């Protein structure tokens, strides 16, 4: 589903003065920086990897001669639950290498090997609710970025990329790319590597082979990489690490990693990933629908120009195997955010991240290849990412074709996207201690009419002060042809946006503040913007209160936050004051109490929240009770959910939600998700809901069947997505996909006859070929 970035242009009647709230909040952070002193720390551990005469067999048994010779890396200490205490179970790691690959072996002893939590046997399945072993490699030794490789007793491949120590860019926000957002941790990166595990009465064991060609680093020869290891023992909800990390951070804090000395080869790799696809599509929304059979060939190429610079090429790009978006209900006046899930755009995505996540991003790759809810053909593209000296660079150029859709009112095909060329240029420099400075340029040009174009320029930076304090921010400007934009006053004729923020994070405190302003004509067409013409302030204070004397309870987290939006001429558009306390248990269970929200919405013009239900202009102030909870998610059966209950505009809203997860062993997992909304307003009442059922069965870590069913009460459509994946390496393999959309509504309400809307069957096979020179 596409995201519309057009915000409503509001008239201005009522005015309130904008308090200068951001100034004292940011000043508090500056004062904390002055007060924070650099505590003396034990130097991180170091190691030397063994040069191997013969490679080990990757079978998880760890009986190769090489492992009796390699130095033992042990002394793991807890990050959670008791920082600095020795790990509850013994862990030993050994590292070796040859001219082709880096080898890592882990002995994960466990006196209760019968209590191992296997997790789900599926590539990149979550490690949060399983026993796990994870490695992070800072190959450039820049102390900010790295590669992650992990596994569980089930032997899954889990890999990703860390950017900016796992933090998002801009405005003091922190975000993870688990769902495809633009920075932080990129789970969607798929490397070519091997892992095998084994278990016995003494615990479990992991063995990894990571080819040097899969990694990116400086010149070949002797070098020192940053490295850290993490072991997770799920029954204790315990995380232990080789190089100590304070509990307020996680493994992605690569500035605290240890080091390993080795010799890396000066080799370059070329990989080719051609695919062939056949599909059958029947669109029931057109007159006289007929099945359309087709085929497509294309592929990707990855060319290592050197050890640190990679050129990616793509032709006739297809994303048939990508999982579908989760359905959402929108009760706001602003656009929803749907994360990027297409692999080509997600590798090295952190390089291109500038802006405030999920609200104002200068580059958002879902603008490429998607329009009006339809796929737009990607003809060809290239991406260059990596290092030029001490400068991180990224270049992207994509050419798309045109796309059209049937206008149900006229019965004619209407253009929804012309052929466009998209370009991105990005560069930034790491300056040490989490400090960086960079810039970005983004363009969209209609190749049939070059006067139809949009340009975006941006600068961003981050300043680290000690370990606790971080300031960051960004500035962006756009340029759109005058005939395509509304006249506006101010900087760059209103085509600007910027954000400043800071975070102070210690073991016991989290304090953050940010200020953002978006001009009324700011128009990053190849970015994401959920609203225009506003300024906003956000502050948050959270305290961690540990209870070490209670074995079944971990901590309280009382906190308060304030977020407010004003139009640029001072109208109070919305605010939320959130007061809450979290109760966290040792097994991972959680609930919140009291969870009160003091909320306000200001309307300068009528808002049609549902057809026929129009809320008049005015200021609406309400109080809402919020509750969320979850049981132990590592258990075979777990529940999570909550509700919001209280005032909403001129009336009330009750919005319960629940998710039930069930896992049978490490092969079968399913979940049921229900989101329900009961809204009662002076102007009218309505209810709506989204129901989703997802499941997966893993025959092996590389062979799986997944199903996803979603019903949206707004559209009254039932969507079905079935995927069979037989994976090779680096996310390639055989994919068989079936998609179906059925309309279950009444014609009198929706104007659409009940029955099928669209059905599609796809078979796609892609193969990876590797060449090293």
């Amino acid at each position: 589903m596409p995201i519309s970035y057009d915000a409503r242009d509001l008239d201005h009647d009522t005015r309130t003065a904008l308090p200068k709230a951001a100034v004292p909040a940011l000043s508090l952070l500056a004062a904390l920086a002055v007060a924070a002193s650099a505590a003396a720390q034990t130097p991180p551990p170091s190691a030397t990897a063994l040069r191997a005469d013969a490679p080990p067999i990757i079978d998880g048994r760890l009986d190769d001669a090489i492992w009796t010779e390699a130095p033992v890396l042990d002394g793991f200490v807890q990050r959670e639950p008791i920082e600095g205490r020795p790990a509850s179970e013994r862990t030993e790691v050994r590292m070796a290498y040859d001219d082709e690959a880096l080898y890592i072996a882990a002995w994960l002893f466990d006196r209760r090997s019968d209590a191992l939590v296997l997790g789900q046997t599926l590539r990149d399945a979550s490690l949060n609710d399983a026993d796990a072993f994870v490695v992070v490699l800072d190959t450039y030794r820049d102390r900010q970025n790295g590669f992650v490789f992990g596994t569980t007793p089930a032997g899954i491949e889990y890999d990703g990329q860390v950017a900016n120590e796992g933090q998002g860019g801009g405005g003091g926000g922190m975000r993870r790319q688990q769902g495809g957002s633009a920075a932080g941790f990129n789970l969607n990166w798929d490397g070519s590597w091997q892992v095998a595990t084994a278990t016995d009465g003494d615990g479990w064991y992991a063995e990894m082979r990571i080819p040097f060609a899969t990694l990116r680093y400086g010149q070949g020869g002797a070098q020192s990489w940053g490295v850290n290891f993490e072991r997770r023992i799920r029954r204790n909800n315990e995380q232990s690490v080789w190089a100590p990390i304070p509990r307020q951070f996680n493994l992605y804090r690569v500035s605290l990693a240890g080091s390993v000395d080795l010799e890396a080869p000066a080799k370059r790799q070329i990989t080719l990933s051609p695919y062939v696809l056949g599909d059958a599509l029947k669109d029931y929304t057109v007159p006289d629908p007929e099945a359309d059979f087709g085929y497509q060939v294309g592929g990707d190429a990855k060319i290592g120009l050197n050890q640190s610079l990679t050129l990616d090429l793509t032709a006739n790009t297809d994303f048939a195997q990508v999982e579908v978006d989760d359905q959402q209900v929108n009760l706001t006046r602003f656009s929803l955010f749907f994360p990027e899930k297409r692999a080509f755009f997600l590798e090295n995505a952190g390089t291109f991240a500038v802006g405030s996540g999920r609200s104002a991003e200068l580059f958002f790759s879902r603008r490429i290849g998607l329009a009006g809810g339809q796929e737009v053909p990607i003809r060809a593209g290239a991406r260059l990412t990596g290092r030029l000296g001490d400068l991180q660079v990224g270049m992207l150029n994509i050419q798309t074709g045109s796309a059209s859709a049937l206008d149900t009112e006229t019965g004619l095909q209407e253009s929804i996207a012309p052929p466009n060329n998209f370009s991105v240029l990005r560069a930034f420099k790491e300056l040490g201690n989490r400090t960086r400075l960079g810039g970005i340029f983004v363009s969209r040009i209609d190749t049939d009419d070059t006067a139809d174009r949009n340009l975006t320029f941006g600068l961003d930076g981050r300043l680290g002060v000690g370990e606790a304090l971080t300031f960051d921010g960004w500035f962006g400007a756009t340029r759109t042809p005058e005939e395509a934009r509304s006249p506006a006053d101010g900087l760059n004729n209103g085509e600007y946006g910027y954000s400043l923020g800071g975070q102070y994070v210690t073991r016991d405190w989290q304090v953050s503040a940010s200020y953002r302003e978006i001009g009324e004509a700011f128009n990053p067409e190849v970015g994401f913007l959920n609203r225009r013409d506003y300024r906003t302030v956000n502050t948050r204070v959270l305290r961690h209160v540990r209870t070490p004397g209670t074995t079944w309870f971990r901590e309280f987290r009382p906190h308060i936050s304030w977020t407010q939006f004003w139009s640029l001429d001072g109208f109070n558009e919305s605010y939320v004051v959130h007061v809450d306390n979290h109760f966290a248990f040792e097994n991972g269970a959680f609930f919140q109490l009291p969870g009160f929200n003091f909320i306000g919405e200001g309307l300068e013009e009528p808002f049609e929240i549902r057809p026929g239900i129009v809320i008049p202009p005015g200021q609406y102030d309400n109080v809402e009770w919020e509750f969320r909870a979850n049981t132990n998610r590592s258990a075979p059966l777990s529940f999570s959910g909550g509700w919001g209950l209280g005032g909403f505009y001129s009336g009330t809203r009750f919005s319960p939600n629940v998710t039930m997860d069930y896992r049978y062993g490490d092969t079968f997992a399913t979940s049921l998700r229900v989101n329900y909304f009961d809204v009662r307003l002076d102007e009218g009442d309505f209810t709506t809901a989204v129901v989703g059922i997802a499941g997966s069965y893993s025959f092996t870590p590389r062979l799986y069947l997944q199903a996803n069913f979603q019903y949206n009460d707004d559209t009254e459509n039932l969507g079905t997505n079935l995927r069979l994946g037989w994976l090779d390496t680096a996310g390639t393999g055989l994919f068989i996909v079936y998609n179906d959309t059925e309309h279950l509504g009444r014609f009198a309400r929706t104007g659409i006859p009940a029955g099928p809307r669209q059905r599609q069957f796809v078979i796609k096979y892609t193969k990876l070929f590797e060449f090293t020179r």
Side-chain angles (χ1 to χ4, degrees):
M1 178 176 177
I3 303 94
S4 170
Y5 47 86
D6 291 329
R8 298 171 183 261
D9 293 323
L10 303 180
D11 296 326
H12 306 289
D13 306 297
T14 308
R15 307 289 179 255
T16 60
L18 170 64
K20 299 178 180 178
V23 176
L26 293 174
S27 298
L28 172 62
L29 291 172
L32 291 171
V34 175
S37 59
Q41 296 182 350
T42 303
S46 60
T48 300
L50 175 71
R51 174 81 187 194
D53 295 327
I57 299 173
I58 308 301
D59 56 10
R61 300 185 185 280
L62 308 185
D63 53 4
D64 304 88
I66 185 177
W67 299 130
T68 63
E69 303 171 13
V72 177
L73 312 183
D74 53 11
F76 280 59
V77 296
Q78 294 181 29
R79 190 186 70 81
E80 286 282 4
I82 303 177
E83 180 188 329
R85 175 176 290 186
S88 64
E89 300 290 346
R90 184 161 58 100
T91 303
E92 296 179 358
V93 178
R94 293 168 172 84
M95 302 181 71
Y97 68 95
D98 59 17
D99 290 337
E100 302 297 328
L102 176 68
Y103 305 95
I104 300 174
W107 282 255
L108 305 147
F109 298 104
D110 199 318
R111 288 164 289 186
R112 290 197 55 197
S113 60
D114 60 324
L116 295 175
V117 181
L118 302 182
Q120 190 176 358
T121 304
L122 189 67
R123 196 184 207 283
D124 286 337
S126 173
L127 304 183
N128 293 332
D129 301 313
D131 283 70
F133 173 70
V134 192
V135 181
V136 62
L137 296 172
D138 177 7
T139 54
Y140 288 114
R141 201 62 169 134
D142 61 15
R143 294 174 172 81
Q144 297 202 50
N145 307 289
F147 296 90
V148 172
F149 302 91
T151 193
T152 66
I156 70 168
E157 294 177 6
Y158 178 96
D159 53 14
Q161 291 177 313
V162 175
N164 218 14
E165 291 202 299
Q167 298 183 346
M174 294 184 66
R175 49 202 164 113
R176 300 281 175 80
Q177 201 179 306
Q178 304 280 5
S181 58
F185 176 61
N186 181 0
L187 179 62
N188 299 280
W189 176 78
D190 289 327
S192 178
W193 62 292
Q194 293 174 266
V195 64
T197 60
T199 59
D200 62 20
D202 293 325
W204 67 287
Y205 314 91
E207 196 169 22
M208 298 178 176
R209 179 184 186 273
I210 305 172
F212 285 111
T214 296
L215 304 171
R216 301 291 175 263
Y217 48 90
Q219 298 298 316
Q223 53 200 276
S224 181
W225 291 356
V227 64
N228 208 350
F229 310 101
E230 181 181 70
R231 180 182 181 182
R232 301 184 182 186
I233 304 175
R234 185 56 184 88
R235 70 175 181 277
N236 300 336
N237 205 10
E238 176 184 320
Q239 299 176 22
S240 59
V241 290
W242 180 58
I245 300 175
R247 72 184 185 214
Q248 67 266 29
F249 306 125
N250 58 27
L251 186 68
Y252 308 148
R253 192 78 168 187
V254 293
S255 59
L256 301 178
S259 62
V260 60
D261 296 328
L262 49 77
E263 291 189 19
K267 292 185 176 182
R268 287 177 281 177
Q269 186 183 51
I270 298 175
T271 64
L272 302 177
S273 303
Y275 77 85
V276 59
L277 175 150
D279 76 316
L281 172 67
K282 192 169 185 178
D283 186 352
Y284 293 87
T285 65
V286 302
D288 303 320
E290 295 183 359
D292 182 17
F293 298 92
Y295 71 92
Q296 186 172 319
V297 295
D300 300 332
K302 188 182 297 291
I303 303 171
L305 303 181
N306 54 36
Q307 277 68 49
S308 61
L309 204 59
T310 303
L311 175 65
D312 292 281
L313 304 173
T314 186
N316 284 340
T317 315
D318 181 86
F319 303 104
Q321 78 277 15
V322 175
E323 64 181 289
V324 297
D325 290 319
D326 290 335
Q327 293 285 315
Q328 303 180 48
V329 172
N330 189 3
L331 298 182
T332 74
R333 294 163 283 158
F334 310 106
S335 303
L336 295 174
F337 180 90
F338 289 82
E340 177 64 271
K341 298 183 178 183
R342 299 171 296 174
F344 177 80
F345 294 105
L346 286 168
E347 183 169 348
N348 297 315
T351 298
F352 300 97
V354 179
S356 301
R358 296 178 175 265
S359 55
E361 299 193 18
L362 301 195
F363 172 64
F364 182 47
S365 57
R366 279 183 69 112
R367 297 293 182 220
I368 303 175
L370 291 170
Q374 283 197 195
E375 183 176 345
V376 176
I378 295 177
R379 301 304 186 195
R383 177 182 57 208
L384 181 70
T385 55
R387 289 290 182 104
L388 288 175
D390 58 356
L391 197 67
Q392 183 78 23
V393 298
M395 304 178 189
L396 175 72
N397 187 271
I398 300 285
Q399 179 65 48
T400 63
S402 59
S404 60
L406 180 70
D407 188 319
T408 56
E409 294 184 359
T410 65
L412 302 175
Q413 289 288 327
E414 299 288 341
S415 174
I416 60 172
N420 279 311
N421 182 266
F422 298 88
S423 295
V424 186
L425 300 176
R426 169 71 164 145
F428 60 87
K429 184 174 181 176
E430 312 281 9
L431 301 173
N433 192 34
R434 309 185 326 281
T435 299
R436 62 192 291 182
L437 182 65
I440 192 170
F441 168 75
V442 186
S443 73
R444 179 202 59 80
I445 300 176
D446 180 346
T447 51
D448 281 351
D449 177 11
T450 56
D452 176 14
R453 64 188 182 274
N454 176 261
L455 307 177
T456 301
F457 311 85
L459 295 172
D460 68 314
R462 168 163 289 174
L463 173 65
V465 181
E467 284 295 335
L469 186 62
T470 305
F471 293 100
D472 56 9
W474 60 267
F475 174 82
T478 61
R479 178 162 296 179
T480 307
E482 291 185 8
E483 61 273 15
R485 69 169 187 249
S486 301
D489 297 325
L491 178 65
N492 194 36
N493 296 317
E495 289 194 80
Y496 73 92
Y498 68 89
S499 177
L500 298 170
Q503 293 183 331
Y504 178 76
V505 181
T506 68
R507 292 173 178 84
D508 299 323
W509 289 96
Q510 293 182 22
V511 182
S512 65
S514 66
Y515 175 83
R516 184 167 69 246
E517 184 171 315
I518 302 295
E520 61 179 304
F522 188 49
N523 184 31
E525 289 187 8
V526 198
F528 176 77
L529 198 65
N530 64 348
R531 58 202 291 179
R532 292 191 182 95
D533 184 26
Y534 71 88
R535 52 174 60 100
T536 180
V537 169
N538 174 269
T539 61
R540 182 174 184 263
V541 178
L542 180 146
R543 176 78 158 93
H544 294 272
V545 181
R546 289 292 172 119
T547 57
T550 307
T551 58
W552 50 270
F553 188 79
R554 179 159 295 185
E555 70 173 14
F556 300 96
R557 293 195 293 268
H559 58 276
I560 184 171
S561 64
W562 168 48
T563 301
Q564 187 147 358
F565 289 85
W566 298 267
S567 65
L568 291 182
D569 56 358
F571 180 76
N572 185 1
E573 291 187 341
S574 62
Y575 69 86
V576 177
V577 177
H578 176 68
V579 181
D580 202 352
N581 184 41
H582 292 176
F583 297 77
F585 296 82
E586 282 293 335
N587 66 0
F590 150 89
F591 72 89
Q592 67 176 126
L593 195 70
F596 282 110
N597 295 322
F598 301 89
I599 57 179
E601 294 286 347
L603 298 179
E604 295 189 279
E605 62 180 20
F607 170 39
E608 187 174 24
I609 191 170
R610 282 296 183 273
I613 302 178
V614 180
I615 304 173
Q619 186 68 41
Y620 300 89
D621 300 298
N622 289 292
V623 179
E624 177 186 56
W625 176 33
E626 180 182 48
F627 178 77
R628 291 184 296 122
N630 64 259
T631 62
N632 178 5
R633 288 195 171 109
S634 69
L637 180 64
S638 65
F639 295 87
S640 61
W643 64 72
L645 175 62
F648 184 68
Y649 286 106
S650 62
T652 62
R653 176 179 61 181
F654 178 47
S655 54
N657 65 88
V658 64
T659 299
M660 180 185 72
D661 294 290
Y662 175 72
R663 186 177 64 250
Y664 180 76
D666 62 333
T667 57
F668 176 73
T670 186
S671 67
L672 170 65
R673 173 177 63 96
V674 179
N675 290 279
Y676 179 78
F677 296 86
D678 184 348
V679 178
R680 299 168 185 257
L681 304 172
D682 292 345
E683 297 76 25
D685 304 335
F686 66 91
T687 61
T688 187
V690 170
V691 180
I693 301 175
S696 68
Y697 185 86
S698 300
F699 303 92
T700 72
R702 291 178 179 261
L703 180 61
Y704 65 86
L705 176 65
Q706 290 181 309
N708 192 327
F709 306 93
Q710 297 186 83
Y711 174 76
N712 188 322
D713 196 42
D714 273 350
T715 62
E716 299 193 52
N717 286 339
L718 173 66
T720 301
N721 174 248
L722 304 176
R723 296 188 299 154
L724 175 68
W726 191 353
L727 299 180
D728 194 356
T729 187
T732 61
L734 175 67
F735 302 92
I736 301 175
V737 182
Y738 174 73
N739 294 309
D740 179 272
T741 302
E742 299 281 334
H743 185 65
L744 307 182
R746 292 170 293 125
F747 183 83
R749 174 188 177 273
T750 65
I752 301 173
R757 301 287 290 163
Q758 191 177 82
R759 289 173 178 163
Q760 182 185 35
F761 183 75
V762 180
I763 299 178
K764 179 180 180 180
Y765 179 72
T766 178
K767 176 69 175 176
L768 181 70
F769 298 93
E770 300 178 280
F771 307 93
T772 303
R773 57 190 178 93

